[in-house]
């Protein structure tokens, strides 16, 4: 799955447009068990007391009281029939589940939510063979666990197979989960409805009763009934269509490979497609609404290239005959990796040559790469349980780096990967962070696992391990892992075992070091034996946080020590020492020096250690190319020497090391380990920098300071920062062309520089943008403005009432989701509160601005100093209504909570937020994000107290 939200730059992933219970209650009626809707507290009732028992909705004892299903019965095959009615917005369905009984039992427990069960029967193999009718099953419902129990008249015997037939019906859901309706408008203004599924992590149970846990893999044979004006799609190719009375058609799809329920998918729609074939003969098709045919071609080209790459890289053919990628008009996450039928937000799949920027292209490429990687990591090999979701998501994020670098080298994706790691460090350096692998039981807890720790930190520790083992050994290890666990489930230790085995198979030298074929590593590398990788990597997956490596040079001797890095908690604070206890990582260190470009390696397994340098050196730089997931602080004159080198000849330090220095310096300021003036002095060399990714990183920190001051209305400092930025980057700004020329990173730098210049009121920038906007309005929106500056032009245009109103009209008319994103961002920058209120109202209504874009809209308005208090008041006043649109633990709700509160930096605001969260917790609505937000606000307060005077003075000296 790919979580994202447009315009959530500070929450996730760089400059891209980011994207972002109730089961059957039995009522005793003739031949009918009604699954009615019950409100279930997010805390989820759960009892592990062996003496406890649950009570079904009809008052009878429910035979199972655990959240997890028993393993006494396992599914082998589902025969599923579904008939959605896109007029009445409901569906009728039936299924036959072939089960294998492992232990004798008198009941079968299934997951079920929001479904009406009409009938349930059981047949033995003998009954089926002799065509005997099924025995009626008594159905009990326990909505608190989203479970039903099928009580059987006679015990089911171990090692025998049985067949459970269930007839059921339900409504097409209104949200983005289960089997739900989605709408789109044609160019002629007609609203059309489609039906689509989205099941990860625990929503297959909303579409059909099932064993809805990843370990219960089975085969699925799916039949879908539809009208002739529609098509049906599912995981597998269609094998036949039967014509029925009344003009209905029934599509039968080939039986799937063995897979988990959350990967099942089916769609009924009227979409068009473009198709191609990979070198190994897999048919790849892109589907979208008919008016978007011209936006599908880039996705097809990228999918074909990436699928070919993955087959070669993993040495395992994609196992299905076809792969469909479908742009869904209403979709919660960025994309979902359903096997053979991947679903996407339109912004994550469709590239409009007229309105999609280079950032949009990068985003689409990486999301496609992510979902295609899941066809192996996640689909072929699935985590045993959601506590290890990082095995799916961390690997898919890591494989974006490998695959996009190989297939689209011109995008320089490895320069983007830094931000994958840097984005999570801010979260991981709070005490409220969590380990990568963490227990999660309830659906809300499971949803919360889909976060930056699973995705980004997971990817970053894999990249660190790859750097440690060498690319060849790492690749061999993951191929070993995928082949060994194909069509099965795996856990953390299985991965470490496979990576160790790739070393054990004849690759150790006499010293016991796992050498790469192409890169012989320093003999300082510690011994790698069976379990050594596990021993090292469990320090990264089973404990939270990130280490800080403190380095002190004394002649040819280096003293190194590790500690837990904490933002907002200073070494002099009384709680600092207690928060350090019991934290120890096995850190694969790398370093280079001023006198040698050689990469030296050392595993730091203890709190302190000493390294000897071969020769005298002016400076030493740890974490070469920023491949390690740790920060570095240079005590004594260490930082001064590195800053001097940057000023004298920055090219003697690798480009990725220069980015790492800028990042670490500003993080250390947040931890009270470096003064702000020193970090700012480090950026002074940027006037000589030519690398766009490095300039973007330096600029991002300076811009962050400006926005903090602007939001707090500290006007003397914000005005001086504005003057400094426009003066310091003036030459760079003035040399930018308003075009789409140059490399990918040059184009992204142009977008950021010109956006910032216009935001800061730089007259030539505003003049040019106003001129282009006027020409665009005069052309009735037909003028092609260069895509990389489109958002800037719209944002400047949105500052007048006429421009804002015209943009809103164009928003309704546009068939390009890329353009709609840019317009919505522009509309959110208005300084008129009544216009921001109108946007929120439209977002809540869900017609002009779709509900899927509400979280991103709230985030964008919260970034606007005129909108921050507005959306905070709105969220508190409309909390109940928001919960009707989004699940409590969903990415959308977490985005709404975080984006409306994380910018706060005063004690009064902290108290307000704390009181609101306490009131929610008292109602049973508690999320991990609450503590993260409170820590973030506390950190902001401390940052200002410590650094505001320094910033004020530094600006006065440097302007």
């Amino acid at each position: 799955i790919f979580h994202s939200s447009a315009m959530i730059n500070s929450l996730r992933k760089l400059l891209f447009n980011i994207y972002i219970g109730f089961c059957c209650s039995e009522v005793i009626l003739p031949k009918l068990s009604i699954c009615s809707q019950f409100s279930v507290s997010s805390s989820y009732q759960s009892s592990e007391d062996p003496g406890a028992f649950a009570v079904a909705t009809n008052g009878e004892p429910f035979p199972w009281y655990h959240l997890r299903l028993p393993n006494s019965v396992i599914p082998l095959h589902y025969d599923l029939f579904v008939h959605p009615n896109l007029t009445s917005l409901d569906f009728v369905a039936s299924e036959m589940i072939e089960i294998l009984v492992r232990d004798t039992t008198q009941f079968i427990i299934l997951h079920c939510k929001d479904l009406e069960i009409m009938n349930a029967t059981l047949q033995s193999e003998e009954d089926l063979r002799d065509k005997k009718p099924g025995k009626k099953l008594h159905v009990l419902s326990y909505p608190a666990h989203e479970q039903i129990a099928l009580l059987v008249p006679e015990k089911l015997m171990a090692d025998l197979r049985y067949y459970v037939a269930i007839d059921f019906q339900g409504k097409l859901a209104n949200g983005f989960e289960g089997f739900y309706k989605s709408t789109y408008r044609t160019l002629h203004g007609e609203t059309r409805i489609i039906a689509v599924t989205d099941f990860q992590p625990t929503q297959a149970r909303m579409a059909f009763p099932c064993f809805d846990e990843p370990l219960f893999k089975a085969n699925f044979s799916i039949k879908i009934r539809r009208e002739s004006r529609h098509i049906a799609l599912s995981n597998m190719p269609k094998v036949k269509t039967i014509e029925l009375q009344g003009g209905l058609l029934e599509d039968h799809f080939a039986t799937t490979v063995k897979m988990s329920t959350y990967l099942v998918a089916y769609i009924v729609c009227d979409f068009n497609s473009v198709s191609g074939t990979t070198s190994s003969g897999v048919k790849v098709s892109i589907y979208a609404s008919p008016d978007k045919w011209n936006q599908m071609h880039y996705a097809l080209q990228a999918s074909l290239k990436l699928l070919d790459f993955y087959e070669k890289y993993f040495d395992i053919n994609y196992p299905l005959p076809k792969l469909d990628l479908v742009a869904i008009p209403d979709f919660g996450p960025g994309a979902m990796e359903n096997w053979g039928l991947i679903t996407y937000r339109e912004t994550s799949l469709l590239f409009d040559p007229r309105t999609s920027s280079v950032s949009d292209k990068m985003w689409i490429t990486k999301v496609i790469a992510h979902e295609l990687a899941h066809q192996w990591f996640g689909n072929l090999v699935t985590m045993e349980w959601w506590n290890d979701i990082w095995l799916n998501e961390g690997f898919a994020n890591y494989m974006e780096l490998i695959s996009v670098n190989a297939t689209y080298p011109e995008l320089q994706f490895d320069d983007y990967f830094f931000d994958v790691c840097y984005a999570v460090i801010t979260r991981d350096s709070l005490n409220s962070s969590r380990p990568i692998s963490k227990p999660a039981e309830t659906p809300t807890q499971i949803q919360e696992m889909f976060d930056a720790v699973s995705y980004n930190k997971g990817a970053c520790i894999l990249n660190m391990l790859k750097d440690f083992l060498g690319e060849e050994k790492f690749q061999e290890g993951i191929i070993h892992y995928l082949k060994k666990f194909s069509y099965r489930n795996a856990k953390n230790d299985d991965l470490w075992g496979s990576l160790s085995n790739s070393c054990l198979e004849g690759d150790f030298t006499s010293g016991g070091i796992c050498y790469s074929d192409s890169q012989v590593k320093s003999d300082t590398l510690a011994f790698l034996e069976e379990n050594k990788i596990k021993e090292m990597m469990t320090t990264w997956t089973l404990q939270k946080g990130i280490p800080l490596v403190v380095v002190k040079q004394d002649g040819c001797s280096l003293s190194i020590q590790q500690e837990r890095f904490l933002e907002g908690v200073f070494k002099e604070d009384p709680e600092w020492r207690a928060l350090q206890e019991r934290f120890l990582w096995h850190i694969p260190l790398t370093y280079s020096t001023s006198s040698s470009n050689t990469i030296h390696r050392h595993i730091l397994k203890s709190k302190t250690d000493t390294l000897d340098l071969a020769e005298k050196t002016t400076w030493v730089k740890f974490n070469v190319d920023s491949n390690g997931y740790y920060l570095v602080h240079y005590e004594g004159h260490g930082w001064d020497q590195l800053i001097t080198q940057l000023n004298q000849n920055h090219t003697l330090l690798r480009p990725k090391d220069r980015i790492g220095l800028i990042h670490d310096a500003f993080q250390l300021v947040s931890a009270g380990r470096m003064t702000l003036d020193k970090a700012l002095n480090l950026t002074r060399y940027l006037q000589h920098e030519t690398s766009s990714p490095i300039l973007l990183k330096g600029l991002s920190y300076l811009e962050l300071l400006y926005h903090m001051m602007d939001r707090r209305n500290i006007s003397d400092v914000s005005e001086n920062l504005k003057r400094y930025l426009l003066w310091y980057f003036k030459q760079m700004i003035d040399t930018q062309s308003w075009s789409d020329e140059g490399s990918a990173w040059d184009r992204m730098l142009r977008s950021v520089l010109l956006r910032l210049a216009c935001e800061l009121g730089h007259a030539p920038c505003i003049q040019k943008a106003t001129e282009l906007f006027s020409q665009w309005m005069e052309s009735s929106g037909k003028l092609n403005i260069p895509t990389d500056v489109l958002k800037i032009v719209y944002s400047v245009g949105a500052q007048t009432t006429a421009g804002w109103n015209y943009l809103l009209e164009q928003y309704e008319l546009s068939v390009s989701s890329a353009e709609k994103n840019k317009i919505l961002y522009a509309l959110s920058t208005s300084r008129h509160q009544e216009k921001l209120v109108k946007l929120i109202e439209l977002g809540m209504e869900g017609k002009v601005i779709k509900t899927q874009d509400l979280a991103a809209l709230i985030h964008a308005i919260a970034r606007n100093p005129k909108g921050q208090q507005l959306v905070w008041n709105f969220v508190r006043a409309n909390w109940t209504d928001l919960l009707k649109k989004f699940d409590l633990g969903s990415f959308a709700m977490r985005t709404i909570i975080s984006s409306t509160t994380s910018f706060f930096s005063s004690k009064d605001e902290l108290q307000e937020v704390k009181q609101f969260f306490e009131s929610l917790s008292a109602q049973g609505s508690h999320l991990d994000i609450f503590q993260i937000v409170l820590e973030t606000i506390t950190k902001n307060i401390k940052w200002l107290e410590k650094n505001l005077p320094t910033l004020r003075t530094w600006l006065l000296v440097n302007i």
Side-chain angles (χ1 to χ4, degrees), residues 450-493:
F450 289 81
D451 67 357
V453 173
S454 292
Y455 284 71
N456 297 30
K457 185 176 180 179
C460 297
I461 67 164
L462 288 170
N463 186 54
M464 177 171 68
L465 183 57
K466 180 261 301 189
D467 182 63
F468 173 68
L469 294 177
E471 286 201 35
E472 293 90 344
K473 288 293 155 255
F474 186 78
Q475 185 178 353
E476 284 171 22
I478 61 175
I479 290 170
H480 182 273
Y481 169 77
L482 288 171
K483 288 185 174 178
K484 183 175 180 180
F485 295 98
S486 286
Y487 305 105
R488 292 165 57 198
N489 299 75
K491 51 189 184 296
N492 267 343
D493 288 356

Side-chain angles (χ1 to χ4, degrees), residues 690-725:
T690 55
S691 163
S692 293
I694 300 171
L695 286 166
L696 279 166
K697 176 50 63 183
L699 197 57
S700 72
Y701 284 111
L702 296 169
E703 190 181 348
L704 201 63
L705 294 177
Y706 169 73
H707 286 304
M708 183 189 283
M709 299 302 125
D710 192 31
R711 273 193 295 270
R712 277 300 304 274
N713 202 23
I714 306 171
S715 53
D716 65 315
V717 181
S718 64
E719 282 303 311
N720 280 340
L721 261 169
K722 185 189 292 189
R723 284 170 57 203
Y724 176 77
L725 283 163

Side-chain angles (χ1 to χ4, degrees), residues 1-2 78 111 178 197-208 210-218 220 222 235 258-266 331 333 335-343 371 373-386 388-393 396 446 450 455 488-490:
I1 201 165
F2 208 107
Y78 293 78
H111 284 113
T197 59
D198 191 44
F199 292 161
Q200 192 179 43
T202 59
Q203 282 85 39
R205 63 194 70 174
M206 295 173 68
F208 58 100
C210 57
F211 298 80
D212 199 12
E213 294 178 4
L215 204 53
F216 291 111
K217 290 193 171 187
F220 296 82
I222 294 171
N235 303 85
K258 198 175 174 187
M259 65 187 198
S260 304
T261 47
Y262 77 86
L263 295 170
V264 174
Y266 38 91
F331 203 66
M336 175 59 210
E337 67 265 19
N338 317 299
W339 216 344
L341 182 63
I342 308 176
T343 42
E371 302 309 324
H374 272 313
Q375 307 302 296
W376 286 264
F377 279 101
N379 300 9
L380 186 65
V381 180
T382 311
M383 74 278 140
E384 281 191 4
W385 184 249
W386 301 106
D388 278 336
I389 186 58
W390 84 275
L391 287 175
N392 286 20
E393 300 301 348
I446 290 165
F450 289 81
Y455 284 71
R488 292 165 57 198
N489 299 75

